[in-house]
Amino acid sequence: MRLPDPLATLRAIFHPPPTPGVLGVFGQLDAAVDTVRRLRAGGHHDFTVYSPIPRHELEDVLDQPVSPVRMFTLIGGAAGCAIGAWLTLYMSYDWPIVVGGKPIGSIPPYVVIMFEMTVLFGALSTILGIAFNAVFAARRLGTVLYDPRFTNDKFGIFVPCAPDRAGQVETLLRQAGAEEVRRA
Amino acid sequence: MAEAPAPPSRVTYDFVTRAVARTLGNPGKGYYALLGGAVGLLAIGIVCLLLLLRYGLGLAGYSHPVYWAVYITCFVFWVGIAHSGTLISAILFLFRSGWRTAVYRTAEAMTVFAVMTAGLFPLIHIGRQWYLYWLIPYPNERGLWPNFKSPLIWDEFAIGTYFTVSSVFLIMGLIPDIAAVRDVATGWRKKLYAITAVGWRGTNEQWRHYTRGYLYLAALATPLVLSVHSVVSWDFAMAIVPGWHATIFAPYFVAGAIYSGVAMVITLLVPIRKLFRLEELITGHHFENLAKLCLLTGMIVAYAYCVEYFTAWFGGNPNERAAFWYRAFGPFWWASWTMIICNAFLPQLLWFKTIRTNILALFVISIFVNIGMWFERFVIIVVSLAGEPFTTWTNATYNATWADWGIMAGSFGWFFMWFLLFVKNFPAVSISEVKEVLPPPRRASRAVHA
């Protein structure tokens, strides 16, 4: 019996095989928007759109659900507020010293700490939410074709498809106004 | 404030990427001269600080009852400088203000480095710096905890949160821009940007989460920026020292902070724009809007000065009246009048469009505002303490020493060193956000509109 090669497993994780499909490079925003519309009408849904900036036109035509990052912000903020309240109240009652004739656990001054902790935890969990969703949870990360011009002035659409359907997708991309079409 | 006029057609997506990527090349003599100056100032500060550590706070000019002096003045000054960055990057972002895109990165970097500078001063000021961990709530053998009813502890939380949140906000904004320069860079910079861009490719999934997250960060940073300088003001307003104990302090400090911060943004942008030849991205329009923001906050500050004096007179409290008389006509009259002339009178020149649109005039005014705002904190802190009328040391005076001035100079060196290193190694203008306000490339047959 052959044992699995650990290096091969690592290679598969860090250098996964490329996803088969077709990449179209677009010079114009409206051509890319048109293509997305045609692809969706043609039953494609798991394609990747590259753009140098976020554009509402693309967002509208892609019709994606709202990002779950907001739940991270909400939970982080609420947790921060609770931690702020716990920190101040627990520590006050743990060593009760009367300061300025005020009650041991005085809520008004503690609101400041609770507010700061809400913002701190809310912001950090938002970052975690973005990282988790945009980096770790991205499907086919690093396996789909990319072109360095996509962060400059070109828009791109990668359509994953089996090699036998690639010709059909290529035609669609070209008709919709792609400047360049490549296969993976 | 009016939106930017249509940019010249030369400014395309590609132009923006190239113009910003060009600023990251090998530095010229001018850059090294500025960096050398900053490091030199920092060296002076480090020597003074080492002497202060060795011989103690006696080297600073403290004399009873003035135990908060230049270091706390510098602390409040630098925290104030930090404020306009988040105003421009978060509050104007929520207001969808297009002109902020070209200047916000500089302002945001300034924020992070100014908070880094400010944070040093409480540590210098506490004297026995090796006990700084006493400020942190940690379970210790005596079961003692910090006093959460003290504004100084609120301040620690506020500044800590502000530093963390403004840093992550800066880093978040940088990611798509680092990816853009990664894709045009060569050599070791390409490797640096490949790592720091954390795999950004501008896919629809990435933008979907990124834009949402950025919106929430801005929404969290907006109340934060208002809270931080309010909390700093409570360091004073919660005490009963005449000249400190005023309810106007929180909004007065916030307006002053934004005022000094906007002035510092102008002071930094003028040479950066010249040095990096960014005239086509950072135009007169941006400077004019910054000048208007300066004028607005300057008017609020001038109003606060009037209210302070009016309340002291109208309130009828003899101690309060004496404190303000001492402020205007006592031995520190020169500091008070420097503050009033630089902050309340000089910026009135900004009502004139010819001055608002003259970059050199703006640069000079911004430096005077910086000086005036430093003196504002000096007047509030030192002069209020020195003039405490109910102490028996009414005639006590205060003279700052070389240790005070040296460490203050060092703080400027520290700040400018980080700032200069940043602008040479990371995009000083937001590439993706400047592109957002440009008309996108469309097919010729369609009407062109942004």
Side-chain angles (χ1 to χ4, degrees):
Chain A
M1 191 185 82
R2 273 191 65 189
L3 288 170
D5 177 6
L7 279 179
T9 316
L10 279 179
R11 263 199 299 278
I13 292 170
F14 288 102
H15 295 287
T19 307
V22 182
L23 176 76
V25 181
F26 297 82
Q28 287 97 17
L29 173 67
D30 44 359
V33 171
D34 263 2
T35 313
V36 173
R37 199 174 288 124
R38 288 189 200 194
L39 281 169
R40 281 173 62 94
H44 293 273
H45 287 286
D46 55 352
F47 48 87
T48 300
V49 180
Y50 296 100
S51 65
I53 56 166
R55 288 294 307 190
H56 288 302
E57 293 93 329
L58 282 170
E59 216 173 282
D60 292 344
V61 74
L62 281 164
D63 195 25
Q64 300 173 107
V66 180
S67 164
V69 168
R70 56 184 175 170
M71 285 314 289
F72 283 78
T73 313
L74 179 69
I75 293 167
C81 188
I83 291 169
W86 171 80
L87 193 76
T88 46
L89 287 169
Y90 163 74
M91 289 181 184
S92 298
Y93 283 104
D94 187 47
W95 187 267
I97 302 174
V98 176
V99 179
K102 301 288 187 292
I104 299 292
S106 307
I107 298 300
Y110 298 170
V111 167
V112 179
I113 308 280
M114 285 155 69
F115 170 78
E116 300 297 341
M117 298 295 264
T118 306
V119 173
L120 180 66
F121 280 72
L124 292 178
S125 61
T126 306
I127 296 292
L128 274 183
I130 298 169
F132 182 77
N133 283 293
V135 181
F136 304 132
R139 284 170 306 149
R140 295 190 301 268
L141 185 77
T143 69
V144 298
L145 273 186
Y146 172 70
D147 189 298
R149 290 172 293 172
F150 294 153
T151 52
N152 184 11
D153 59 348
K154 300 287 180 201
F155 299 85
I157 298 173
F158 179 85
V159 189
C161 59
D164 56 319
R165 289 196 57 208
Q168 197 187 339
V169 174
E170 266 187 27
T171 320
L172 190 152
L173 293 180
R174 277 190 210 287
Q175 278 175 353
E179 290 175 354
E180 251 179 74
V181 175
R182 271 188 275 153
R183 277 192 205 196
Chain B
M1 274 167 247
E3 279 306 310
S9 55
R10 213 161 88 81
V11 181
T12 59
Y13 281 16
D14 184 55
F15 179 88
V16 176
T17 313
R18 307 266 159 212
V20 179
R22 200 184 54 214
T23 66
L24 307 172
N26 287 333
K29 281 187 191 142
Y31 176 82
Y32 279 121
L34 286 174
L35 189 64
V39 173
L41 280 177
L42 177 60
I44 294 172
I46 289 174
V47 171
C48 291
L49 182 60
L50 288 175
L51 288 169
L52 195 81
L53 283 171
R54 174 69 184 80
Y55 295 105
L57 284 180
L59 293 187
Y62 298 117
S63 62
H64 196 91
V66 186
Y67 285 120
W68 281 16
V70 169
Y71 300 145
I72 298 297
T73 303
C74 287
F75 164 71
V76 182
F77 173 78
W78 284 113
V79 178
I81 293 293
H83 274 59
S84 79
T86 313
L87 172 98
I88 292 174
S89 56
I91 300 181
L92 294 186
F93 173 80
L94 295 181
F95 279 108
R96 301 281 183 262
S97 185
W99 68 272
R100 66 176 265 290
T101 56
V103 298
Y104 93 92
R105 177 64 45 72
T106 317
E108 217 166 63
M110 181 193 81
T111 291
V112 172
F113 301 134
V115 183
M116 269 167 60
T117 314
L120 298 176
F121 280 101
L123 304 184
I124 296 169
H125 167 82
I126 56 174
R128 290 184 291 171
Q129 286 81 5
W130 45 97
Y131 288 130
L132 80 94
Y133 64 91
W134 283 6
L135 293 166
I136 302 163
Y138 71 102
N140 59 60
E141 69 275 19
R142 285 158 295 171
L144 283 168
W145 298 107
N147 173 17
F148 289 107
K149 297 181 189 91
S150 160
L152 301 183
I153 290 295
W154 306 345
D155 209 12
E156 187 194 327
F157 276 80
I159 301 288
T161 302
Y162 192 49
F163 176 66
T164 315
V165 173
S166 54
S167 303
V168 295
F169 205 43
L170 171 72
I171 293 166
M172 275 301 295
L174 269 172
I175 291 172
D177 295 343
I178 294 178
V181 292
R182 169 199 67 197
D183 289 342
V184 293
T186 52
W188 65 270
R189 282 177 187 275
K190 194 173 184 76
K191 283 184 191 143
L192 170 72
Y193 299 140
I195 294 165
T196 47
V198 292
W200 184 266
R201 288 179 163 192
T203 66
N204 53 323
E205 273 289 296
Q206 288 177 332
W207 281 123
R208 177 163 81 98
H209 303 301
Y210 178 90
T211 46
R212 255 307 130 158
Y214 201 81
L215 178 71
Y216 291 124
L217 276 181
L220 286 169
T222 298
L224 178 66
V225 68
L226 301 178
S227 85
V228 172
H229 225 60
S230 301
V231 170
V232 171
S233 84
W234 294 334
D235 286 347
F236 306 100
M238 291 285 156
I240 54 166
V241 176
W244 287 6
H245 194 62
T247 47
I248 197 181
F249 255 42
Y252 166 30
F253 266 50
V254 171
I258 293 169
Y259 182 45
S260 66
V262 174
M264 189 57 111
V265 170
I266 297 174
T267 313
L268 292 172
L269 270 180
V270 171
I272 292 289
R273 172 178 184 256
K274 188 90 185 153
L275 208 61
F276 290 160
R277 301 196 303 279
L278 290 169
E279 284 87 351
E280 271 166 295
L281 296 184
I282 306 169
T283 63
H285 174 76
H286 298 103
F287 280 104
E288 198 187 344
N289 278 341
L290 285 171
K292 285 179 185 168
L293 211 53
C294 219
L295 183 59
L296 170 74
T297 45
M299 295 291 288
I300 300 175
V301 167
Y303 169 76
Y305 292 167
C306 297
V307 169
E308 265 194 323
Y309 277 91
F310 175 78
T311 315
W313 167 72
F314 193 64
N317 181 330
N319 290 329
E320 194 80 13
R321 277 191 188 181
F324 278 87
W325 185 267
Y326 181 86
R327 189 180 278 192
F329 304 111
F332 292 101
W333 62 270
W334 48 273
S336 305
W337 289 99
T338 307
M339 151 189 137
I340 290 171
I341 291 167
C342 289
N343 291 343
F345 288 114
L346 264 184
Q348 303 305 325
L349 291 171
L350 296 174
W351 285 106
F352 301 102
K353 197 179 170 79
T354 44
I355 292 175
R356 280 206 307 270
T357 48
N358 183 330
I359 308 279
L360 183 67
L362 264 184
F363 184 63
V364 173
I365 290 175
S366 76
I367 288 176
F368 275 108
V369 171
N370 284 322
I371 295 171
M373 286 309 293
W374 190 87
F375 271 103
E376 180 191 300
R377 279 64 179 251
F378 182 82
V379 166
I380 290 173
I381 296 164
V382 173
V383 181
S384 297
L385 286 173
E388 274 182 288
F390 46 79
T391 65
T392 51
W393 296 277
T394 311
N395 295 323
T397 186
Y398 168 81
N399 288 307
T401 62
W402 55 267
D404 292 311
W405 298 128
I407 289 176
M408 183 182 135
S411 75
F412 278 87
W414 166 262
F415 170 79
F416 283 110
M417 179 191 76
W418 285 112
F419 186 78
L420 286 167
L421 288 175
F422 176 82
V423 295
K424 201 64 209 169
N425 290 299
F426 290 100
V429 174
S430 172
I431 298 171
S432 65
E433 293 213 29
V434 168
K435 285 177 189 171
E436 274 183 51
V437 291
L438 294 178
R442 290 177 198 269
R443 288 169 177 147
S445 58
R446 299 276 184 90
V448 173
H449 60 89

